[in-house]
Amino acid sequence: MTGRRTRAERDRLIEEAIAFIQAAEKEAELAFCLEVGEHLFRGLFGNDLELFRSTSRWKEQSLRRIAADPRVNLPAEVLSNSVHTYIVLRVLKQRRNATRVPDISPWTWGETWALVDDPGILVAVLDWVVRRKVGRETVREVVQIVAPYIEAGGRIEDLLVDQEVVKRADARYRMSRRMLGVERKWILAASGIPEDTVQDLLSIIDEILAILDKGR
């Protein structure tokens, strides 16, 4: 082999190298996050979930002190998120007995932290994130709404949009009716909305329901 390559070959090799480096960097970032998260949770917080959840000044001061040390020099948010990620992964492994870490960025893992008390919902969201390659902002929005939505009568699958489900007319119909039912409850429970506005919104929901029923 002479070592001489065509421009197309060089371009291909460069792209392969970039892709490899990106993957290695991503893998190293998650590994670092999990190791740091585990050490902080087990060491600093004594493996105590309630202690980590506390809003005590000691917790925040400790994380900021570690983060600000020139030997670390990281934002305190990175340390908190590392603990979040470690705990979420631990719950996933306990629920699924999983050995492989799903390909999710540490910050996206951290967004699901609020669901750790409901492992079933947490795993469903994580499965959806991996399957649909959902971004961090969308995950954050789902996590914020999931508890009140289910409490109002919705189902978790309504929020985890999946093309295979949406393709089925019967599934779309049931999902749409549940979502409109939740909207109705939220409108009736909301405070500060003028009565005529409430009635207008409820009328719109009724009209949409009528269209859905007619289209079955």
Side-chain angles (χ1 to χ4, degrees), residues 4 21 62 78 105 127 183 201:
R4 301 182 64 175
I21 292 169
S62 297
V78 170
S105 77
D127 285 345
E183 287 290 342
L201 292 172

Side-chain angles (χ1 to χ4, degrees), residues 41-80:
F41 185 64
R42 292 181 178 276
L44 187 63
F45 299 104
N47 210 31
D48 186 335
L49 187 58
E50 294 309 312
L51 177 60
F52 176 68
R53 276 181 165 148
S54 74
T55 57
S56 68
R57 183 178 300 177
W58 171 84
K59 169 190 170 182
E60 299 302 325
Q61 287 179 337
S62 297
L63 289 176
R64 284 199 300 268
R65 181 178 170 185
I66 295 169
D69 190 292
R71 293 167 294 180
V72 175
N73 194 27
L74 287 171
E77 291 78 11
V78 170
L79 302 184
S80 293

